[in-house]
Amino acid sequence: MTNHFPIFSKHTPLGQPLIYLDSAASTQKPQVVIDTITDFYTNEYASTGRGSYWPANAASAKYEQVRHQVASFLNAKSDREIVFTSGTTDAINKVARSFVYPTLSPGDCVVTTTMEHHSNYLPWQQICKEKKCELVVAPLNQNGILNTLALEAQLAKGAKFLALTAVSNVLGTQNDVTAIVSLAHQYDVPVLVDAAQAVAHYTIDVQAWDCDFLVFSGHKCYGSTGVGVLYGKTDYLAEMQPANYGGGMVQKVNTIDSSFRPIPHKHEAGTPNVAGVIGLGAALEFLQKKGLENVYEHEQALTVYALNQLAAMDSVTIYGSVEQRGPVISFNLDGVHPHDLSTFLNEQGICIRAGHHCAQPLMQWLDVAATARVSFGMYNTKVDIDQLVAGLKSAYQFFR
Ligand SMILES: Cc1ncc(COP(=O)(O)O)c(C=O)c1O
């Protein structure tokens, strides 16, 4: 699999082969995505939706074709439900500002969970502050799985909105999204699903999940940075005011008032990241050709293998549950700060993440300042994990 990814044919500055265990932060890029973006800039570049000359027409057609492809990737009912954004963070902020904010009155509450990335926490905290509302953070059970009884109690109190992640970027916990959305809908609470850590790993079906909004970033599923997707049910996207105003999204502008294009374009003000969108199309096609079922099976096997190897080391503490886990493992090595560990492993060509992973409320719940984290993509192998384990053993000896 690494042969599709040119970075793996390079060596690190110290001359070792690259062992990349940080796909939860961002995936490496396959040649086909790099080539598609290069080809667009080289041979057919123009902006979309404005010009009526050949490269502009070609770019507009490709851009809209990717919208169709994303709709089908997510099993959305219509292309109109797909808005291109600059990423997950941008998409969540759009929903917070344009959909949820106008519905809030003082004393209302918005619910999120303890396992959210700051991107699915701060936009809600901010609008709640501004509207004098409460942000309720649903707790986890001891094993890091969402406590659905506590969540239901909050929903029953008349929450206005629920925002939760499909997969935790720290614990790897995979939430049962279908069941949680169904629970929220029993109380008429709309739900946003943060699929940033799901999109590259298993099949998403927005109709089966019945979520009201779903968001993800291109760079986490083998596409480029600076592009993302906001899926929203047609009525909700239509009812939402745009978060941004500018070129491209207008029907008619005059000095008194203006009117906007229908969805999805009214939510895409300004020149979009055309190359990023076209690259996203290539990335999703690449993923689909590999088969998400195969990717899932491969990454699950790696995760189980890694968990077993790590669990066999007395010096390692693993966080979160063994079950319901995506390809993300957070841990600590006794007596070694995660930043020291990652610096040490870097010397051996092994890239892992250390820190709070943009999830400080979760760190507080875990009662740690930071963790080390490994996460897998389709290009990882058991050999990578063996190297990691050997690296951890050396680190333990070195720092003791
Ligand atoms: C679960 C989750 N949500 C949101 C984000 C934010 O994604 P982006 O920085 O691409 O907007 C991340 C990134 O790590 C994430 O893991």
Side-chain angles (χ1 to χ4, degrees):
M1 190 66 73
T2 48
N3 58 332
H4 291 285
F5 295 83
I7 198 162
F8 293 112
S9 63
K10 310 276 178 264
H11 283 88
T12 68
L14 291 177
Q16 305 103 335
L18 173 67
I19 298 175
Y20 186 72
L21 298 173
D22 198 18
S23 294
S26 204
T27 54
Q28 294 298 340
K29 311 306 166 202
Q31 189 67 52
V32 66
V33 168
I34 299 167
D35 288 348
T36 302
I37 293 173
T38 306
D39 180 63
F40 171 63
Y41 278 127
T42 310
N43 298 314
E44 269 187 340
Y45 176 74
S47 185
T48 55
R50 290 141 170 89
S52 51
Y53 45 84
W54 75 261
N57 292 338
S60 301
K62 280 207 170 144
Y63 184 84
E64 291 307 323
Q65 191 187 316
V66 176
R67 196 189 302 282
H68 181 66
Q69 199 185 334
V70 173
S72 131
F73 185 82
L74 298 179
N75 193 29
K77 280 189 186 148
S78 146
D79 298 1
R80 298 168 67 221
E81 296 178 320
I82 307 301
V83 175
F84 290 117
T85 67
S86 68
T88 303
T89 304
D90 179 31
I92 296 173
N93 275 279
K94 280 192 160 79
V95 176
R97 277 286 146 202
S98 296
F99 184 77
V100 181
Y101 182 90
T103 68
L104 296 178
S105 306
D108 283 343
C109 89
V110 171
V111 183
T112 182
T113 83
T114 307
M115 68 173 88
E116 302 308 316
H117 187 279
H118 293 162
S119 293
N120 200 24
Y121 187 80
L122 294 174
W124 311 113
Q125 186 179 60
Q126 192 56 35
I127 62 168
C128 284
K129 261 194 197 165
E130 288 174 28
K131 285 281 187 127
K132 301 197 174 8
C133 294
E134 191 190 355
L135 176 64
V136 172
V137 182
L140 310 183
N141 293 332
Q142 255 183 349
N143 52 8
I145 291 177
L146 190 61
N147 179 334
T148 40
L149 284 178
L151 173 69
E152 180 166 11
Q154 292 303 332
L155 297 170
K157 281 190 199 159
K160 286 285 175 173
F161 198 78
L162 168 64
L164 94 156
T165 193
V167 180
S168 159
N169 69 314
V170 176
L171 302 173
T173 313
Q174 263 177 35
N175 284 316
D176 184 347
V177 172
T178 313
I180 295 168
V181 172
S182 158
L183 183 68
H185 285 176
Q186 283 171 34
Y187 298 95
D188 291 328
V189 179
V191 184
L192 175 141
V193 176
D194 174 352
Q197 295 297 341
V199 61
H201 308 294
Y202 61 90
T203 305
I204 294 173
D205 184 333
V206 289
Q207 291 191 62
W209 292 10
D210 197 26
C211 49
D212 302 284
F213 297 96
L214 179 135
V215 298
F216 70 87
S217 300
H219 72 97
K220 299 214 193 251
C221 57
Y222 306 102
S224 76
T225 51
V227 66
V229 167
L230 162 60
Y231 156 84
K233 285 183 178 165
T234 306
D235 290 350
Y236 287 155
L237 285 183
E239 150 194 341
M240 249 166 84
Q241 287 300 307
N244 300 314
Y245 294 85
M249 47 84 77
V250 289
Q251 219 145 33
K252 198 155 183 56
V253 178
N254 64 45
T255 50
I256 314 280
D257 204 2
S258 303
S259 59
F260 308 117
R261 291 173 71 191
I263 61 165
H265 299 100
K266 81 168 185 184
H267 295 299
E268 293 179 1
T271 303
N273 181 354
V274 190
V277 167
I278 290 172
L280 176 64
L284 296 183
E285 190 181 336
F286 175 77
L287 251 177
Q288 280 175 314
K289 278 194 182 146
K290 295 292 155 218
L292 270 160
E293 308 73 32
N294 302 329
V295 170
Y296 184 75
E297 214 176 287
H298 172 69
E299 293 174 349
Q300 282 295 308
L302 286 182
T303 307
V304 170
Y305 183 73
L307 282 170
N308 287 339
Q309 300 284 320
L310 294 174
M313 292 177 67
D314 291 342
S315 50
V316 169
T317 305
I318 300 171
Y319 301 103
S321 160
V322 172
E323 285 139 38
Q324 282 183 249
R325 187 191 268 271
V328 180
I329 304 173
S330 283
F331 63 94
N332 268 315
L333 188 61
D334 278 358
V336 184
H337 192 283
H339 282 121
D340 289 338
L341 178 61
S342 98
T343 307
F344 182 89
L345 292 175
N346 178 48
E347 304 267 298
Q348 302 174 24
I350 304 171
C351 309
I352 71 159
R353 193 57 169 259
H356 55 60
H357 316 293
C358 297
Q360 289 185 26
L362 182 56
M363 293 295 121
Q364 284 149 23
W365 181 80
L366 289 171
D367 200 19
V368 293
T371 72
R373 180 185 76 181
V374 294
S375 53
F376 311 123
M378 62 164 83
Y379 32 64
N380 290 115
T381 64
K382 286 186 176 169
V383 174
D384 296 343
I385 294 161
D386 293 342
Q387 299 277 356
L388 167 75
V389 170
L392 292 177
K393 287 182 178 158
S394 316
Y396 190 60
Q397 292 305 325
F398 181 83
F399 286 104
R400 271 165 60 106

